[in-house]
Amino acid sequence: MRQAELESTIPKRRAFRGPLLHFLADPGSTACAEASPKVTGYFADGLLLVEDGLVSACGSAGDLLPRLDRSWALTEYQDKLILPGFVDCHTHYPQTDMIAAHGEQLLQWLQHYAFPTEGRFVDAAHAVELAEVFLDELLRNGTTTALVLATVHSQSVDAFFGAAAARGLRMLAGKLLMDRNAPDYLTDTAASGDADSRALIEHWHGVDRLGYAITPRFALTSSDAQLAQAGKLAAEYPDVYLHTHLAENRDESMRIAELFPASRGSLDVYERFGLLRERAIFAHCLYLQADDRRRLAECDAAIAFCPTSNLFLGSGLFDLAAADAAGVRVGLATDIGAGTSFGLLQTLGDAYKVLQLQGQSLSSLRAFYLATLGGARALSLDRYIGNFLPGKEADLVVLDPTATPLLARRMQGVHDLAERLFVLMTLGDDRCVAATYALGRLVHQR
Ligand code: GUN
Ligand code: ZN
């Protein structure tokens, strides 16, 4: 369906009928998590009622159909699976054009691919074009909310938020702060980065469904002065997000130890500058110090687990069991363009494999929890999105479990919901995303 054929207004009353799944709690880390009604809401013949873009009821069709009268538009998805829209907790929209760049690990990859690609965003028209391409990809993959890095240029944030607002999406983003160890054409200063971030917060934070994230790229590309300014800004705006990379790569960690000899590691650097707090989201977290997970949990910060990216850059393996044991909130993330898929389905498939390599077994129910309510919790957005409780914003994805010949054949042999989900996250991709809705409005249809 072309953009022009998608819906431009939020329908007053719309009902969705079909198999329906959402989560009320974390199914936990056990490999054989079962669908218990306290944790998992599953209705083989479900009905989701949406009024003015918000969920008004979710349950079995048998219970809820009598509520429908002629004022309701009914959309049927009998052979599909209706889920809350996916949440991507860390991704770079400007890196869309350099996805699948061969041959390097993080620090060289940044120099050779990421920085030159981001340099093009000095051109506002280019930023507008890429924002649209990126959002098309998210919606084609069933992702309705993301925490997004822009570039150092303010206009890259304006372009992204403008495009997200026009589509009615709930999105978080921020301008990169980077005043050292990057090409001249990509650096700001402590003062200009602070002024630009303030102006963007005042302009965009809390407008429509948008939220701002103060975004020092990582400790290597910000001076002490810039990190201190970012910490001051974060204290002034406690409901604004903080977003950065943490402990992704061994060489990076060694360079940070050289640059910040007084610190006990990368998280300690951030903490000393006031960048460890609730609404702080740290991508990767592979090479943490002994106490770091405890500190993350105590400060109510969250981790973005980026399995595809970590494999592609050869960065390492994220230890989900250790994060769980410390009680840190974790969401799932694609990390485009180091990640190689916009799809949370493939990201879940890779998460499973990354954990297998460490003797951990991700259940499919936990996996889909992480892609929906878990992500919403990691981003402190669960009062708006993440499941179908009444009052939540009706962002949803409709999956086709038999979208390809192989899936159709494999699905004939599945016995229960958990197995169907596991096959979907192992074999599925954007071909499985039949439709995506934001606030009950169709924003993608295959
Ligand atoms: N660390 C600092 N910048 C980046 C980036 O653009 N991508 C990834 N994966 N890690 C980073
Ligand atoms: Zn990243």
Side-chain angles (χ1 to χ4, degrees):
M1 184 175 276
R2 295 205 333 272
Q3 193 70 28
E5 293 164 313
L6 298 172
E7 293 165 349
S8 57
T9 55
I10 297 171
K12 189 99 193 103
R13 290 181 142 185
R14 165 173 260 161
F16 298 91
R17 183 176 183 179
L20 220 147
L21 171 68
H22 70 144
F23 294 90
L24 307 168
D26 186 345
S29 50
T30 49
C32 51
E34 300 212 356
S36 108
K38 281 203 185 128
V39 172
T40 310
Y42 178 62
F43 306 95
D45 182 11
L47 196 68
L48 180 69
L49 305 188
V50 176
E51 296 183 67
D52 294 319
L54 303 181
V55 173
S56 57
C58 167
S60 74
D63 288 345
L64 293 176
L65 274 175
R67 288 205 205 171
L68 299 193
D69 59 24
R70 288 170 50 167
S71 66
W72 289 85
L74 178 64
T75 307
E76 307 238 10
Y77 287 116
Q78 298 297 5
D79 303 320
K80 309 288 192 289
L81 181 64
I82 303 169
L83 286 154
F86 294 140
V87 179
D88 185 343
C89 292
H90 173 88
T91 183
H92 300 245
Y93 98 83
Q95 295 180 8
T96 302
D97 276 347
M98 48 141 300
I99 191 170
H102 174 259
E104 309 281 12
Q105 297 216 348
L106 176 64
L107 298 179
Q108 297 73 32
W109 174 90
L110 285 172
Q111 297 288 342
H112 295 159
Y113 301 115
F115 291 161
T117 306
E118 291 180 16
R120 297 183 62 195
F121 284 70
V122 68
D123 173 4
H126 181 71
V128 168
E129 180 191 342
L130 264 291
E132 298 293 350
V133 169
F134 175 84
L135 290 174
D136 282 346
E137 281 303 316
L138 288 195
L139 297 176
R140 253 165 32 71
N141 283 278
T143 298
T144 46
T145 289
L147 172 56
V148 177
L149 299 95
T151 66
V152 73
H153 314 96
S154 283
Q155 62 265 30
S156 69
V157 177
D158 291 330
F160 180 75
F161 276 149
R167 296 181 194 225
L169 302 175
R170 185 164 282 290
M171 289 285 162
L172 306 175
K175 169 204 128 61
L176 293 185
L177 298 169
M178 40 198 302
D179 67 348
R180 66 169 165 177
N181 293 324
D184 288 347
Y185 63 82
L186 267 191
T187 48
D188 55 9
T189 65
S192 75
D194 182 62
D196 289 349
S197 300
R198 276 173 198 279
L200 289 166
I201 291 169
E202 293 295 333
H203 190 97
W204 291 109
H205 185 66
V207 171
D208 294 334
R209 305 179 75 197
L210 308 175
Y212 193 80
I214 300 163
T215 313
R217 181 175 207 127
F218 63 159
L220 281 188
T221 44
S222 285
S223 64
D224 286 30
Q226 183 162 68
L227 293 173
Q229 285 280 12
K232 267 179 63 186
L233 194 59
E236 270 180 59
Y237 291 96
D239 67 328
V240 162
Y241 290 84
L242 270 166
H243 182 200
T244 190
H245 299 89
L246 172 61
E248 176 179 3
N249 168 286
R250 287 185 199 281
D251 292 345
E252 169 209 20
S253 297
M254 274 163 36
R255 295 274 316 274
I256 287 174
E258 287 161 16
L259 276 184
F260 300 93
S263 288
R264 283 181 293 102
S266 306
L267 185 66
D268 189 47
V269 173
Y270 292 137
E271 181 161 14
R272 283 196 303 119
F273 288 109
L275 300 170
L276 176 56
R277 63 142 158 84
E278 203 252 323
R279 289 183 180 232
I281 289 97
F282 296 97
H284 306 296
C285 298
L286 306 184
Y287 302 102
L288 294 175
Q289 306 294 312
D291 230 21
D292 285 354
R293 292 181 189 86
R294 187 181 59 78
R295 283 304 290 150
L296 287 165
E298 280 172 358
C299 299
D300 212 9
I303 295 175
F305 171 21
C306 310
T308 307
S309 162
N310 295 158
L311 293 170
F312 183 73
L313 291 183
S315 300
L317 304 176
F318 176 69
D319 188 343
L320 180 61
D324 285 342
V328 192
R329 285 177 291 151
V330 176
L332 210 72
T334 60
D335 193 25
I336 298 297
T340 49
S341 169
F342 279 81
L344 270 274
L345 290 178
Q346 290 106 313
T347 308
L348 289 176
D350 279 350
Y352 177 81
K353 294 168 195 162
V354 159
L355 296 168
Q356 280 287 89
L357 282 168
Q358 301 169 88
Q360 301 175 30
S361 184
L362 179 65
S363 78
S364 63
L365 287 169
R366 180 104 200 281
F368 278 81
Y369 160 82
L370 287 174
T372 56
L373 182 61
R377 285 180 168 174
L379 299 185
S380 302
L381 290 175
D382 47 310
R383 90 186 116 118
Y384 304 113
I385 56 166
N387 61 19
F388 294 142
L389 289 180
K392 296 276 181 108
E393 296 165 351
D395 291 351
L396 49 117
V397 53
V398 181
L399 295 182
D400 178 358
T402 57
T404 69
L406 181 62
L407 272 165
R409 193 169 173 83
R410 178 65 180 85
M411 286 296 176
Q412 286 172 12
V414 308
H415 298 98
D416 57 20
L417 174 67
E419 196 180 351
R420 186 143 48 104
L421 294 174
F422 187 65
V423 172
L424 258 175
M425 69 190 238
T426 306
L427 301 180
D429 55 33
D430 55 294
R431 291 170 293 180
C432 297
V433 178
T436 308
Y437 290 82
L439 294 174
R441 185 172 64 88
L442 184 67
V443 288
H444 164 73
Q445 177 152 287
R446 202 175 145 71

